[in-house]
Amino acid sequence: MDTTHLIDKTGAGSVIHSSTVAEEHFVDLSHTDPLAAFCFAVGVLSIVLIAASIGSARLKSRFKWLGTMGGKFALILVGAFFLLLPIAIHLPGSHGDLWPGLAQAVPATFYFTVNITGVAGELEEWTPVIHQVMGDGLLSLLYYQVLCFYTVAAPVMLALTAVDIFANGFTGLLLYVESAKKSVLGRDIYVFYDLNDNTVTLAKDLLDHVQKGGRRSRSMPLLVFCDLSSAAVADGNGMAQQVREEAYGCATVVFTPLGLESVPGHLARWTQTRCNVYYLVISDDTDDNVRATIALCDTLTSQMVSWEMGARAWDVERVGSRPSLTDRTRRYAGNIHVWCVHGNPDDDLIFDSLPHRRPDEEILARLLRRRRGHDPKEERRRRIVDGLSPLMVRVRNLVEVRLLSEERQVVWDSLVSHPLTEVLDPVDVSAGPVPRQRLVVLVLGVGSFGAEAVRAAFWFGRLPGVELRIVGVDLEAERRLGELAAMWPDLMAERVPEGEPSCLADLAEPVAEDGPTGDPLPTVCLVQADARTEDLSPLLAGKEVEALCWGPDGAGTCPVSIGRGSRVYTVTCLGDDEVDLDVSLRLHRTLSERVLDGTLDEATAPQCNPLVSVLVRSEEVLESVRNISGGEERFGLVPFGSTEDAFSYDSILAAPWEDASVNLQAAYDAAQAAAAGKPTEVGRGRAMEDYNAYEVRKLSNRAATRFTFYRLWCLGLGDGAQHDVSGELQGRWLAKLGVAPVLERLAAGDAGAVAALAGVRPGPAGTGAEERAARRRALADGDARLRSEHPLLCAMGDLEHARWCAFLRANGWRPVEGGFDGLERTMAFVGRSPRPGEPLPHESMRLMRHYYLVDDPADYRDRGADCMDDPAACDRMVAAECLRILNRGYVAPKVGLPGGGGTGGGTGGGAPTQERPAAPGGEGDGGPGKAGSDGGSAAGTQS
């Protein structure tokens, strides 16, 4: 018994009618042609891939071509070709056998596939063949239905692909025309990757600044939203419409499906040297952001390398080890600013390696054609890559790329606007030993934001006389403890005796000789509790509770309490605005009642103990919390972290802290130039080139500048909160430190000033025990002389070193163990060798080990002598110059209010800014902090 098929050809189309005679034979593979079965599987697989590419964002991110109409149309053609191939082989009049028939059928299959795209399929002729090749039963019916799908889908996809190609070409032309118009007056161009809540929030805030900036006719920036689907742009009631309405009359907006890496090639040539272009890669997928940014950097680098090689007649021998750059390349690179929101801490290493990526294949092919010879092609290719390497590094380091972490940004901003010092009594190191204070930072919820709060408080809390204790509260404390210890082992392992300051104990008032000696306690511990319930009550009441901590033997326990003498700074980030606010209010009331009862110290006004900082993502809720805190009653509840604050013009585009970080690099370069006997000012181009060499250098410089107002608190010149830096405040700071004359003499290359702020190279050279001992004695004598002449400057330098060490530990760095022998083994292991006339290598970027990561100032000084370096001079320079750095006393800021160009590479009219003479050394110079002049020392710049 089998299945009977009746073929009806009376209608316009042919339909297979099936009746089941025996259900057990409904699917009969005995008469199925193997080639037809394989082709049928390919056809079905193509449909599955098309459906998956529509529904899976991850698949489209991995295979970009699947996200395009052209990619989907290609799958349609492939599936249709395979489905029609067995039909063409078995049509009446064909050979019928596989191999002779295949040669005859392939051209016919192409013909049938083309016909399908034009709704000209011949289903009535193909239906009997389907029955012939697939046998009886369900497979014939499925084959027919799938082929019907392709017959309908092919012309539809062809039309959509044509529209997509036209749209790409049209928007590409529109982008070229609009960028050419903006280049006439040097307007800014902002390229947003994707259309989402974050990009729309930033775009609306940018447009708000444009409207408030006045002279609207001269403030017409160009906003480009790229890598968009047609559905996202056509959503008239959605985000695209919001941007259009906000931009009406004050900006030009272009929505395009072009990929981010394609945008630079569609900008007019005049734009390259006359307009600042800001690439804002802040989509919701952080992995995709990194991928897109790498592709963009490759495109930009290839553009500039092509220009440079064109200027050298494509002769790689003319590149040299330190290639000079054309004016066009310098202007273009100075006008490019890239922001990338990322989530992986190890992305720093990925971006550090970008200058060493292989050149574009088109560039290599052109150079290979010009460099013909008898050597093997691979050998010539290797020599070309090696010859281009200095140019690739030079060009890439000119392009500003900022890696943004939303968690880090909002937490750092909060600890600057509402510093830890708000709960501490004022101190003044210049007046003598400071009182001892116990600071408890209570972090409720140790997720992504909570973990960042723990890390930031760890180095922000390095203050004179302050015993820092960080207590995290989480329902899954045991798992969080393991995660933190795996990522930042030295942060979790730090232990300080109870009652002792966490750094520089000699700056604090001494304890009585017969006073009790406290046991070492961990700086960071976690309490397993649900902050929303009464689990937290014993800790808030001042009782001693058991906490989890990390030690040499792994996880353990320790006692923790919030005693009477504690100053409490709380960060609440439980993941829900309503829960965060409810818990924060109850916690603040509980601790305030303890202050009123006399069981918790009250801070000296206007300081506030306790202070509760609550994470609020919603702008509406945040505004309400601000109103609570700003009423008639003083209330220590401060919100932070809304999306509007995190992705705002002031936070990302204006970026005053980024300008200060570049200024810090320029200050260091100028000091190194003075130390080399060539005092000179440093232009933004050279400062940016050194600053961009390593991502960790950027992060470290940002941390050093954020700590500035904490330094003011240490000398009694402020409460630690952020405010404007006036000339009068800067004068008071320099007068207290007694370094105003030193800064003046440094510019003239005075030896004493150079020793104080740029350091000296203690001789003699060599790595033997005698040479190192001689250098240690020489550096100790110089250090003693400086401490007698500038005691306060040296004390603030020691504080800066303590903060730098805590910062490194909070980012996973660890000290090089085993003394100088351990350093030599480590450097030999990673393959780093000394350079003539420069300090010995003292850190490994890949292993995250640093020889200078020691807390004792004397040990730190001796380790610098081992490496023929004076690293403490960098700390003193940061302390002396911190206010001038914030006051933009070195290089021009990157961007002002939108409205007529910028300062990155041109003025409002498009003329280039004249760069001041560059300091010698370039990338070989270190950076602010511990680098000395080590060739490309990255972690050394982490001051």
Side-chain angles (χ1 to χ4, degrees):
M1 303 179 65
D2 56 2
T3 303
T4 307
H5 295 266
L6 301 176
I7 303 173
D8 178 12
K9 295 187 178 181
T10 59
S14 176
V15 182
I16 295 181
H17 303 277
S18 303
S19 59
T20 303
V21 180
E23 186 174 352
E24 63 272 13
H25 292 152
F26 194 67
V27 178
D28 187 0
L29 299 179
S30 60
H31 302 292
T32 301
D33 183 72
L35 176 64
F38 170 77
C39 293
F40 175 67
V42 174
V44 174
L45 179 61
S46 297
I47 297 176
V48 172
L49 284 176
I50 293 173
S53 67
I54 295 174
S56 173
R58 182 176 295 274
L59 188 64
K60 288 188 287 186
S61 174
R62 181 74 180 273
F63 304 100
K64 297 293 291 185
W65 60 273
L66 279 178
T68 65
M69 284 297 174
K72 296 181 179 67
F73 183 57
L75 286 176
I76 288 287
L77 293 180
V78 169
F81 179 86
F82 276 91
L83 283 175
L84 292 170
L85 180 60
I87 294 177
I89 294 176
H90 294 278
L91 275 175
S94 62
H95 193 282
D97 294 330
L98 176 59
W99 295 114
L102 195 61
Q104 178 184 357
V106 168
T109 306
F110 277 112
Y111 173 76
F112 293 152
T113 305
V114 172
N115 278 354
I116 275 187
T117 61
V119 201
E122 302 172 354
L123 285 175
E124 67 278 3
E125 296 182 12
W126 298 341
T127 303
V129 181
I130 295 174
H131 175 61
Q132 177 184 349
V133 298
M134 297 304 293
D136 299 331
L138 180 63
L139 287 180
S140 296
L141 179 61
L142 291 178
Y143 201 106
Y144 180 83
Q145 298 296 338
V146 171
L147 189 58
C148 288
F149 168 81
Y150 277 100
T151 305
V152 175
V156 174
M157 292 300 297
L158 175 64
L160 293 177
T161 301
V163 171
D164 190 59
I165 293 174
F166 175 77
N168 274 332
F170 176 75
T171 56
L173 178 62
L174 177 63
L175 183 57
Y176 180 88
V177 172
E178 291 295 340
S179 64
K181 289 164 55 179
K182 299 304 177 185
S183 67
V184 175
L185 295 176
R187 301 300 179 228
D188 292 340
I189 298 175
Y190 301 89
V191 181
F192 296 87
Y193 182 63
D194 198 14
L195 186 67
N196 54 60
D197 290 334
N198 297 337
T199 54
V200 171
T201 298
L202 179 56
K204 291 168 68 175
D205 195 49
L206 165 66
L207 294 170
D208 184 58
H209 276 77
V210 171
Q211 294 172 354
K212 293 178 180 177
R215 298 188 302 170
R216 292 174 60 169
S217 60
R218 297 190 58 194
S219 304
M220 294 282 291
L222 172 62
L223 275 63
V224 181
F225 289 83
C226 66
D227 210 69
L228 303 180
S229 64
S230 56
V233 179
D235 183 11
N237 297 322
M239 299 177 182
Q241 186 63 24
Q242 295 180 38
V243 177
R244 289 191 186 100
E245 293 174 356
E246 193 75 22
Y248 182 75
C250 68
T252 305
V253 182
V254 173
F255 298 94
T256 174
L258 292 173
L260 180 68
E261 67 276 9
S262 302
V263 171
H266 286 83
L267 299 179
R269 174 167 179 169
W270 308 282
T271 307
Q272 297 167 354
T273 55
R274 298 174 64 88
C275 298
N276 281 305
V277 184
Y278 302 91
Y279 295 93
L280 302 156
V281 192
I282 50 179
S283 75
D284 296 326
D285 187 345
T286 55
D287 291 338
D288 189 43
N289 289 344
V290 172
R291 181 209 58 78
T293 304
I294 292 174
L296 173 64
C297 290
D298 286 345
T299 299
L300 297 172
T301 303
S302 297
Q303 273 187 324
M304 292 183 279
V305 169
S306 296
W307 300 342
E308 292 297 319
M309 293 309 299
R312 293 169 172 81
W314 290 90
D315 184 1
V316 74
E317 300 294 341
R318 296 172 59 183
V319 172
S321 60
R322 178 70 180 179
S324 60
L325 301 178
T326 61
D327 186 59
R328 179 187 181 187
T329 297
R330 286 186 174 277
R331 291 186 183 185
Y332 185 44
N335 289 340
I336 295 172
H337 315 282
V338 183
W339 283 262
C340 172
V341 173
H342 74 115
N344 188 347
D346 291 330
D347 288 338
D348 293 357
L349 297 179
I350 295 176
F351 281 86
D352 285 343
S353 67
L354 286 184
H356 307 287
R357 288 169 65 87
R358 294 178 66 87
D360 183 70
E361 287 298 326
E362 185 177 343
I363 295 176
L364 287 177
R366 186 166 183 176
L367 289 171
L368 281 170
R369 289 195 298 269
R370 289 177 172 268
R371 192 184 178 92
R372 298 185 181 277
H374 299 291
D375 296 336
K377 182 177 179 181
E378 286 304 317
E379 178 64 22
R380 288 186 287 126
R381 186 185 184 93
R382 185 192 61 78
R383 286 203 295 266
I384 289 173
V385 171
D386 293 342
L388 281 179
S389 179
L391 181 61
M392 296 280 290
V393 172
R394 187 89 196 276
V395 166
R396 169 61 186 85
N397 286 344
L398 286 176
V399 178
E400 178 188 12
V401 178
R402 284 186 60 195
L403 293 183
L404 299 177
S405 166
E406 184 180 2
E407 293 84 359
R408 180 170 59 230
Q409 183 167 316
V410 299
V411 169
W412 285 19
D413 285 347
S414 175
L415 290 177
V416 170
S417 58
H418 297 284
L420 301 176
T421 54
E422 283 197 6
V423 301
L424 300 172
D425 290 336
V427 300
D428 187 355
V429 174
S430 63
V434 299
R436 295 173 180 248
Q437 304 182 71
R438 186 173 192 265
L439 172 62
V440 177
V441 179
L442 188 61
V443 181
L444 305 184
V446 193
S448 58
F449 283 94
E452 185 59 46
V454 169
R455 296 170 61 201
F458 186 77
W459 59 267
F460 268 113
R462 301 295 150 156
L463 300 168
V466 174
E467 176 193 355
L468 176 65
R469 303 294 174 189
I470 303 173
V471 182
V473 177
D474 198 279
L475 194 57
E476 300 179 339
E478 188 172 353
R479 181 170 68 88
R480 301 294 188 191
L481 180 73
E483 293 173 351
L484 297 180
M487 292 292 294
W488 310 294
D490 275 24
L491 176 147
M492 299 300 297
E494 182 182 84
R495 290 175 176 264
V496 178
E498 187 174 7
E500 286 294 315
S502 297
C503 68
L504 305 179
D506 56 333
L507 295 181
E509 293 176 345
V511 296
E513 294 184 1
D514 57 347
T517 302
D519 296 327
L521 293 177
T523 299
V524 180
C525 62
L526 301 184
V527 175
Q528 185 155 328
D530 188 349
R532 298 168 297 181
T533 67
E534 286 297 308
D535 291 356
L536 205 57
S537 298
L539 179 64
L540 299 181
K543 298 179 180 178
E544 190 173 274
V545 301
E546 187 178 81
L548 301 176
C549 62
W550 196 265
D553 300 325
T557 60
C558 65
V560 64
S561 64
I562 303 177
R564 176 191 174 97
S566 301
R567 303 302 174 89
V568 186
Y569 189 106
T570 301
V571 182
T572 307
C573 37
L574 298 172
D576 182 271
D577 286 357
E578 296 296 332
V579 173
D580 284 346
L581 185 57
D582 177 61
V583 171
S584 297
L585 288 171
R586 288 191 285 110
L587 184 145
H588 189 276
R589 294 187 189 109
T590 301
L591 293 178
S592 297
E593 289 172 0
R594 286 190 58 191
V595 173
L596 296 176
D597 294 341
T599 58
L600 187 66
D601 280 354
E602 181 178 3
T604 304
Q607 309 300 92
C608 179
N609 183 36
L611 187 140
V612 180
S613 184
V614 53
L615 176 67
V616 178
R617 305 296 286 160
S618 167
E619 181 67 19
E620 292 75 13
V621 178
L622 181 136
E623 185 64 28
S624 300
V625 177
R626 283 175 177 162
N627 292 334
I628 294 175
S629 304
E632 296 180 356
E633 299 182 11
R634 188 178 65 158
F635 197 67
L637 185 70
V638 293
F640 75 97
S642 72
T643 301
E644 284 74 6
D645 286 343
F647 295 97
S648 65
Y649 172 85
D650 290 332
S651 179
I652 293 181
L653 290 171
W657 293 112
E658 193 71 11
D659 292 334
S661 301
V662 178
N663 288 342
L664 182 57
Q665 184 66 44
Y668 177 80
D669 288 348
Q672 290 301 300
K678 301 176 182 179
T680 181
E681 293 180 327
V682 178
R684 182 175 182 86
R686 172 49 55 86
M688 285 298 301
E689 192 171 347
D690 291 344
Y691 179 68
N692 286 332
Y694 295 97
E695 290 299 323
V696 71
R697 175 177 297 175
K698 303 175 188 178
L699 184 61
S700 178
N701 285 14
R702 293 167 194 158
T705 55
R706 297 284 183 116
F707 196 70
T708 297
F709 296 104
Y710 285 74
R711 297 188 189 97
L712 293 177
W713 176 85
C714 294
L715 292 189
L717 295 178
D719 57 4
Q722 177 182 353
H723 48 74
D724 292 334
V725 178
S726 63
E728 185 269 339
L729 178 60
Q730 185 176 333
R732 291 171 58 198
W733 171 260
L734 296 177
K736 276 212 169 189
L737 291 180
V739 295
V742 178
L743 291 174
E744 295 174 1
R745 297 199 307 271
L746 177 65
D750 178 78
V754 168
L757 299 180
V760 294
R761 299 286 172 79
T767 59
E770 294 183 1
E771 291 88 351
R772 289 189 285 113
R775 288 198 298 268
R776 287 189 176 195
R777 289 192 297 270
L779 197 55
D781 292 341
D783 184 65
R785 184 167 54 254
L786 280 173
R787 290 184 182 276
S788 64
E789 295 174 357
H790 305 287
L792 196 56
L793 175 63
C794 292
M796 295 305 295
D798 292 341
L799 178 67
E800 171 60 19
H801 174 66
R803 183 210 63 80
W804 178 83
C805 287
F807 173 81
L808 282 193
R809 294 188 179 104
N811 282 273
W813 285 73
R814 308 184 75 175
V816 174
E817 303 290 350
F820 188 75
D821 292 339
L823 175 65
E824 287 186 318
R825 287 195 303 271
T826 302
M827 293 302 103
F829 179 77
V830 299
R832 294 197 61 183
S833 56
R835 296 182 181 180
E838 295 183 357
L840 301 179
H842 44 258
E843 97 288 320
S844 167
M845 279 286 297
R846 305 299 182 262
L847 299 181
M848 299 181 72
R849 297 292 189 272
H850 207 297
Y851 191 53
Y852 296 164
L853 185 50
V854 290
D855 294 305
D856 181 61
D859 191 11
Y860 169 47
R861 180 194 65 221
D862 290 343
R863 292 194 173 208
D866 289 345
C867 297
M868 296 185 289
D869 193 10
D870 183 10
C874 182
D875 303 315
R876 297 190 290 268
M877 185 275 299
V878 173
E881 296 279 50
C882 61
L883 289 188
R884 185 154 65 141
I885 288 166
L886 285 189
N887 210 22
R888 297 176 175 176
Y890 279 96
V891 299
K894 175 182 78 282
V895 61
L897 283 175
T903 56
T907 60
T913 304
Q914 183 65 36
E915 185 175 311
R916 290 175 280 182
E923 187 191 352
D925 289 342
K930 322 303 178 190
S933 298
D934 186 11
S937 176
T941 66
Q942 297 181 56
S943 178

